[in-house]
Amino acid sequence: MTDTKDQEPAEMRVDPARAKHLSSNISSILSRIESAKPSSGPPVRLVAVSKLKPANDVLALHSAPHNHLHFGENYQQELLQKSLLLPREIRWHFIGALQTNKCKPLAEQIPNLWCVESVDTGKKADQLEKGRAALCEKEKDYGGVPLRVFVQANTSGEEEKSGVEPEGAAELCRHVREQCPHLKLQGLMTIGAIARSKGAKEGVENEDFSRLREVRDQVVKELGLQEGDLELSMGMSEDFESAIRCGSNEVRVGSTIFGERPAKGDAKIKETVEEGKG
């Protein structure tokens, strides 16, 4: 296991032209988020999905003027490598499909893993619990901060999508709250069918998003919670504005910020930037 304690991020350079381009993109997204949310509504968290993009890009957005904190990754090894290169203040979100046997090392090896957004079984929650408990035991100065998790629900009914059936969400949420003391149930997450988002007429809600809102309300009722106790994480590059209008507290936007992704085999963890360019 890689020991992350006292790990100093490696020095990296950022290409000013690339940084300017990314800054413009994220500014546009933040503006669209503000326009989409109700004027009296709470802030909407933007998770910048940096999968298959170099750590230099993350550093560019984490630096001034944006000082962005929340970044999402789909692949465990890529996330681990970037977490070792980048400042520990970054709040990482794991948003990819989870394998049960990878959950414990994921939660244990990355102290600034802020949230896991794709929990769909009790076994995966249990392994994340073991990993975060081990981290808290190892890093006495860590403070025992719980690892946030979203329970992923498959609201679209698509077989290729992960997620617990909506009818099983309350049971899984109860399990996280009652059996996993080192985890914090942050809310519920879904990946909507893009075809529904693109096909929705003006003023018509995406049914996947409205379904997750219904699931959240049912979980709140069954567990005796308040609506504000559980967030909704839904909406990506193609449909985040629709998701916000449906009540999403968090959106996950990647390609609209970072551009088209390379093939996985061609991706670089760290770009080489020549002296004088960064």
Side-chain angles (χ1 to χ4, degrees):
M1 183 186 70
T2 302
D3 188 359
T4 58
K5 187 173 177 61
D6 298 326
Q7 177 75 37
E8 289 296 329
E11 182 180 357
M12 273 190 297
R13 298 183 181 278
V14 175
D15 182 346
R18 175 64 173 165
K20 183 177 181 181
H21 178 69
L22 292 171
S23 177
S24 175
N25 288 350
I26 201 170
S27 293
S28 175
I29 295 296
L30 291 168
S31 177
R32 290 168 62 185
I33 287 172
E34 284 301 309
S35 296
K37 78 179 187 67
S39 56
S40 58
V44 175
R45 183 185 308 113
L46 169 61
V47 178
V49 181
S50 48
K51 72 172 183 179
L52 301 180
K53 290 296 183 175
N56 312 62
D57 281 3
V58 176
L59 184 61
L61 292 178
H62 178 61
S63 303
H66 292 289
N67 302 116
H68 197 73
L69 288 175
H70 294 271
F71 293 89
E73 292 287 337
N74 281 59
Y75 305 115
Q76 183 168 348
Q77 186 60 28
E78 181 179 358
L79 172 54
L80 177 59
Q81 290 176 281
K82 287 179 180 176
S83 74
L84 295 173
L85 288 170
L86 291 159
R88 190 152 155 172
E89 299 81 45
I90 287 175
R91 298 174 182 176
W92 291 108
H93 295 238
F94 186 80
I95 61 176
L98 273 173
Q99 293 178 298
T100 303
N101 66 338
K102 299 291 182 66
C103 290
K104 183 177 183 293
L106 176 69
E108 185 176 359
Q109 293 179 358
I110 306 170
N112 54 329
L113 179 63
W114 195 81
C115 186
V116 175
E117 307 224 358
S118 42
V119 175
D120 56 5
T121 70
K123 289 182 178 179
K124 293 175 184 178
D126 291 341
Q127 290 302 308
L128 289 170
E129 163 65 23
K130 289 180 180 180
R132 187 45 57 113
L135 174 64
C136 291
E137 177 64 26
K138 181 176 63 175
E139 296 207 18
K140 298 296 185 181
D141 60 346
Y142 185 68
V145 178
L147 172 63
R148 294 164 175 83
V149 300
F150 281 91
V151 163
Q152 181 174 358
N154 185 343
T155 56
S156 67
E158 295 170 291
E159 291 185 4
E160 67 273 16
K161 288 233 172 78
S162 301
V164 65
E165 292 297 317
E167 295 75 17
E171 181 181 354
L172 181 51
C173 287
R174 187 186 302 277
H175 178 87
V176 172
R177 284 178 56 87
E178 297 181 357
Q179 304 299 323
C180 303
H182 292 87
L183 305 183
K184 177 186 177 186
L185 179 64
Q186 190 77 7
L188 292 108
M189 183 272 264
T190 197
I191 300 174
I194 295 299
R196 289 177 182 165
S197 289
K198 290 183 175 179
K201 297 179 181 179
E202 186 72 25
V204 178
E205 290 187 345
N206 180 314
E207 61 187 270
D208 294 327
F209 298 155
S210 57
R211 178 68 176 119
L212 189 69
R213 191 176 59 210
E214 293 170 359
V215 172
R216 189 271 312 276
D217 294 345
Q218 185 62 33
V219 171
V220 163
K221 181 179 179 181
E222 290 192 28
L223 272 59
L225 306 174
Q226 300 296 318
E227 179 180 315
D229 291 339
L230 296 182
E231 294 182 353
L232 297 175
S233 175
M234 51 191 191
M236 301 188 294
S237 286
E238 294 279 357
D239 55 12
F240 70 88
E241 288 156 311
S242 171
I244 292 170
R245 288 191 286 269
C246 284
S248 187
N249 305 100
E250 174 185 278
V251 294
R252 310 175 302 274
V253 180
S255 58
T256 309
I257 296 173
F258 294 100
E260 185 177 351
R261 297 185 181 97
K264 189 175 180 181
D266 297 331
K268 295 181 179 179
I269 293 295
K270 179 181 176 182
E271 288 278 10
T272 300
V273 178
E274 294 177 13
E275 187 84 27
K277 287 190 176 182

